[in-house]
Amino acid sequence: MTYLILFYILTLGLIIGSFLNALLYRLHEGETIMGRSYCPKCKKQIAWYDNIPVFSFIFLRGKCRKCHEKISWQYPAVEFITGILFLYAFWNIFEFRILNFDIAYFLSTFNFHLLTLARDLFFISIMIIIFIYDLKWYLILDRVTLPAIAIIFGINLFLGLSWTNLLIGAFIGGGFFLAQFIVSRGRWIGGGDIRLGLLMGVMFSWPMILLAILLAYLIGSVISIFLVVFGMKKWGSEVPLGIFLTTASIITLFWGNQILSWYIALL
């Protein structure tokens, strides 16, 4: 039964990943998400059997059936990563309850944990959208972050999180980047980073938001040095901050408590 549930969650993640790919393209092109999927090169509609996440890419050998143009590796990569992250998000919440099955406790807390899972899956999806969009087009869209802020704030309130801690988290997350935006007059930080900071704040609350920001800058520093050393970037070159913030957010979501506990133990 456990393996069947895990299979369903993985399948859901693959399907959502496919949807995210379509959403990313249509957001950039200014198109509605409604309507059948089509090849961005030849504009021909894609048959359902050519639109199976990951597997269709393999069967088609990475090419469109109609025009034979190459399909970007982004598509299977996003589908696969979304599936894996969904699977881990489920396991992260239900592992103890599956391995140490107490039917009375499980049933009494199921709705709470199911809502927590729904929030986490939604947050993961938003982070993937922001990561890919910022990586490709150096932009974080308000029409993605602003609704997500409202939705996650509402869910966290419903889950019983302290509204004061949520607001403090939002103030720190948004204020940290707003201060940089003001000091640099927009040269260091874009407006989208401020809204992403707000989103991280209402997701992680106080004090976890501090860890998420710290991780983002640590990851950004390591990757930036790597890119410069290997000649892929020059000092002062623009690097999208959103990719580091979203990566740090996923790490904080899954391992934030363990990292904090480890750090406190060192002290």
Side-chain angles (χ1 to χ4, degrees):
M1 182 63 178
T2 299
Y3 292 110
L4 186 59
I5 294 173
L6 294 177
F7 173 76
Y8 286 150
I9 295 296
L10 176 61
T11 301
L12 174 65
L14 294 173
I15 293 171
I16 294 297
S18 179
F19 171 77
L20 295 181
N21 276 320
L23 180 60
L24 280 161
Y25 176 79
R26 298 191 185 196
L27 281 172
H28 185 252
E29 297 297 317
E31 299 178 2
T32 175
I33 194 58
M34 304 301 292
R36 291 280 301 276
S37 296
Y38 61 87
C39 172
K41 303 291 176 57
C42 65
K43 306 302 181 181
K44 299 292 185 181
Q45 283 192 352
I46 300 174
W48 69 267
Y49 47 81
D50 286 337
N51 207 23
I52 301 172
V54 178
F55 294 103
S56 289
F57 181 86
I58 296 172
F59 295 148
L60 292 171
R61 299 181 180 180
K63 295 182 180 180
C64 171
R65 184 184 294 273
K66 302 290 177 59
C67 66
H68 305 293
E69 287 288 332
K70 288 184 178 180
I71 302 171
S72 170
W73 275 93
Q74 172 197 317
Y75 290 89
V78 167
E79 291 163 356
F80 179 76
I81 290 171
T82 305
I84 296 300
L85 291 178
F86 272 38
L87 196 61
Y88 192 81
F90 175 84
W91 191 251
N92 193 48
I93 293 173
F94 287 101
E95 173 188 10
F96 177 80
R97 294 155 191 88
I98 291 173
L99 297 181
N100 303 274
F101 199 75
D102 181 336
I103 186 64
Y105 174 78
F106 184 81
L107 291 177
S108 66
T109 61
F110 180 75
N111 288 338
F112 173 84
H113 290 112
L114 189 61
L115 183 58
T116 302
L117 176 63
R119 179 203 63 186
D120 291 354
L121 298 185
F122 174 73
F123 183 72
I124 289 169
S125 300
I126 294 297
M127 291 300 101
I128 290 173
I129 292 172
I130 294 173
F131 180 97
I132 299 298
Y133 207 98
D134 201 29
L135 179 65
K136 293 183 69 173
W137 297 297
Y138 285 55
L139 187 63
I140 299 175
L141 299 175
D142 285 349
R143 51 184 161 166
V144 173
T145 53
L146 294 181
I149 290 169
I151 291 169
I152 289 179
F153 183 75
I155 293 175
N156 277 339
L157 285 179
F158 193 81
L159 287 171
L161 275 68
S162 166
W163 67 269
T164 54
N165 284 349
L166 290 173
L167 290 180
I168 291 172
F171 177 79
I172 293 174
F176 178 76
F177 297 111
L178 176 60
Q180 293 184 66
F181 183 87
I182 294 172
V183 169
S184 69
R185 297 180 181 179
R187 292 192 300 272
W188 301 343
I189 297 292
D193 297 312
I194 300 172
R195 266 78 78 184
L196 178 52
L198 282 170
L199 174 58
M200 293 168 63
V202 299
M203 178 64 189
F204 298 120
S205 185
W206 162 264
M208 197 66 75
I209 180 61
L210 296 177
L211 174 64
I213 293 174
L214 176 61
L215 284 175
Y217 278 85
L218 285 174
I219 294 169
S221 298
V222 171
I223 293 179
S224 296
I225 291 173
F226 175 86
L227 293 175
V228 170
V229 168
F230 286 91
M232 301 171 70
K233 288 282 185 179
K234 296 181 179 179
W235 287 113
S237 297
E238 184 180 2
V239 179
L241 181 60
I243 65 174
F244 306 131
L245 292 174
T246 52
T247 301
S249 293
I250 297 297
I251 293 173
T252 303
L253 176 66
F254 291 149
W255 301 289
N257 289 323
Q258 293 92 319
I259 294 173
L260 276 182
S261 298
W262 169 78
Y263 179 74
I264 292 171
L266 288 179
L267 298 178

